[in-house]
Amino acid sequence: MAFFDNLRATAMPSDTDPATPVPVRLEIFVQSRFSQLELSSVTAALEIANDVQPRFRFEWSFVSDTPGLISNRNILVRAEPAIDGELLKDCLIVLGGAGCVAEGWMRRVRAMQIQSRPVVLFSDAATEYAKQKKTGFYPATTHWRDIPILNEIGDFADMSTQLGEYTTGILTCAGRGFAIEAAFNLVAECLNPQERAEMASLLMLDRVRGFDREQPIHQEQGNTFLEGPLQKALQLMEETIEAPLQISELTQQIGVSPRQLERLFKIQLNSSPAKTYKMLRLKRARSLILETRMSLLDIAIACGFSGTSSMSKAFRQSFGVSPNQLRK
């Protein structure tokens, strides 16, 4: 992949002393409520990459548009200030998270592009980048759960559902649970096969998916924990959030009786089909409330509610707050 050319050129010493490790400097951009999973995945992969070979060292630092101690409510990270266009490193990694805001790092992304230095955008950062660019940035991807939200606020029909996509110096990535494999893929390009195998073993990875693999979309796809009819039911529920089906219609399309489906949901999920369906719609509504400026009425309709009052009632019952309180 062309994305790795600069990293490989930096990491593979040519006229330097082979006994002296060549530094590869990475900048990890964090904002409030950053993804702890993505941060730990990236740093763990870099640490182990340093352990399995002596030729170069990955060095990383944390930066932010709000420097100092950055919290995700569980851990703190001390970040240096990100100065526009200055002190650029060999690679920029922007972590996702609930507080990810593109205005804080877009100028730095552009500066990296001008100097042909690679950029990695994980999950929410990839979503925020898509919102900013709107057109002309494909192919691009993000975590599959954000794609329906993007399509509610604009035309993002060309967003990919692959685990990663590369264009114009930027790698957009699904992130989250894929973060450790993504980080492995980033540094493994600079390692030989034996070192890759050792690194995978130390990370307890028996296989590593490439960026060109499709995401396991929805709860039902690629999930060996759920039985077949349950997978199909969840898929139909995800696909019909805007116009919910009756449970009788659902069972008819799946090919099981209502009683069988109730039993499966009770055994596997300790819930009922109706409650699960409703919760999927509420979670979609909550995402739209937090991540878009759509009106509450439009959100209610997009999530299969008859109006704002029915959505508000369901919200209070499930989350203990109203949609208006959540948006404040």
Side-chain angles (χ1 to χ4, degrees):
M1 183 184 290
F3 175 85
F4 300 107
D5 289 345
N6 286 345
L7 272 184
R8 278 198 294 266
T10 302
M12 300 301 180
S14 54
D15 56 354
T16 57
D17 182 355
T20 304
V22 175
V24 181
R25 299 179 178 88
L26 298 96
E27 185 174 86
I28 303 175
F29 200 105
V30 293
Q31 291 176 303
S32 174
R33 294 182 290 169
F34 59 84
S35 168
Q36 184 174 340
L37 174 59
E38 292 173 2
L39 182 144
S40 59
S41 295
V42 170
T43 55
L46 295 175
E47 285 176 356
I48 292 178
N50 285 336
D51 290 341
V52 300
Q53 52 72 46
R55 298 185 309 282
F56 56 93
R57 287 196 63 78
F58 288 101
E59 301 174 356
W60 62 93
S61 59
F62 299 105
V63 299
S64 179
D65 54 328
T66 56
L69 291 176
I70 310 298
S71 170
N72 78 335
R73 297 181 180 175
N74 291 315
I75 63 172
L76 293 171
V77 170
R78 184 176 294 279
E80 301 169 1
I83 303 172
D84 289 344
E86 295 185 21
L87 305 175
L88 299 177
K89 303 296 176 65
D90 300 313
C91 178
L92 169 65
I93 298 174
V94 184
L95 301 182
C100 187
V101 180
E103 285 82 357
W105 41 262
M106 276 297 291
R107 288 183 182 177
R108 207 154 185 82
V109 168
R110 294 191 190 102
M112 293 289 287
Q113 285 181 293
I114 290 170
Q115 296 193 24
S116 299
R117 302 188 186 193
V119 176
V120 184
L121 304 177
F122 279 120
S123 60
D124 304 281
T127 301
E128 289 300 308
Y129 180 73
K131 290 178 184 176
Q132 291 289 316
K133 299 294 288 184
K134 296 184 181 178
T135 60
F137 66 99
Y138 298 113
T141 191
T142 185
H143 192 281
W144 67 264
R145 278 192 175 276
D146 286 350
I147 294 177
I149 296 170
L150 286 172
N151 284 322
E152 289 290 346
I153 61 174
D155 181 11
F156 292 90
D158 292 328
M159 285 290 286
S160 165
T161 53
Q162 288 189 179
L163 289 165
E165 289 282 6
Y166 172 75
T167 186
T168 62
I170 295 178
L171 179 71
T172 50
C173 175
R176 302 190 191 180
F178 177 64
I180 189 66
E181 296 169 83
F184 178 95
N185 283 323
L186 291 174
V187 300
E189 287 291 320
C190 302
L191 310 183
N192 65 40
Q194 182 178 354
E195 291 163 350
R196 294 176 196 175
E198 184 180 357
M199 181 175 172
S201 178
L202 290 171
L203 287 170
M204 305 293 286
L205 296 173
D206 60 354
R207 66 185 182 91
V208 178
R209 293 169 293 177
F211 292 112
D212 59 348
R213 290 284 300 276
E214 285 290 314
Q215 297 181 42
I217 298 177
H218 309 311
Q219 296 177 38
E220 76 290 340
Q221 290 190 13
N223 196 331
T224 58
F225 302 104
L226 303 177
E227 296 184 21
L230 194 57
Q231 293 180 11
K232 292 178 182 177
L234 289 169
Q235 181 177 2
L236 273 173
M237 289 177 179
E238 291 271 10
E239 292 174 350
T240 56
I241 282 177
E242 188 170 353
L245 301 172
Q246 296 292 326
I247 299 301
S248 58
E249 295 177 87
L250 199 68
T251 56
Q252 188 175 13
Q253 292 194 37
I254 296 167
V256 298
S257 69
R259 186 172 180 178
Q260 286 175 307
L261 194 64
E262 289 279 352
R263 182 172 175 273
L264 276 174
F265 270 78
K266 181 64 177 176
I267 293 171
Q268 295 285 324
L269 305 179
N270 194 30
S271 183
S272 69
K275 287 181 180 178
T276 302
Y277 209 169
K278 188 175 183 180
M279 183 53 66
L280 288 173
R281 292 160 53 210
L282 284 169
K283 286 181 178 179
R284 175 70 61 78
R286 183 174 60 183
S287 294
L288 291 171
I289 290 168
L290 292 172
E291 299 178 27
T292 75
R293 295 182 179 179
M294 292 173 63
S295 70
L296 294 182
L297 178 59
D298 287 341
I299 291 172
I301 293 170
C303 296
F305 294 96
S306 59
T308 55
S309 59
S310 60
M311 183 175 72
S312 295
K313 182 179 179 181
F315 248 81
R316 290 192 188 94
Q317 291 173 343
S318 297
F319 303 130
V321 295
S322 69
N324 278 316
Q325 290 171 322
L326 185 66
R327 178 162 270 181
K328 287 179 180 178

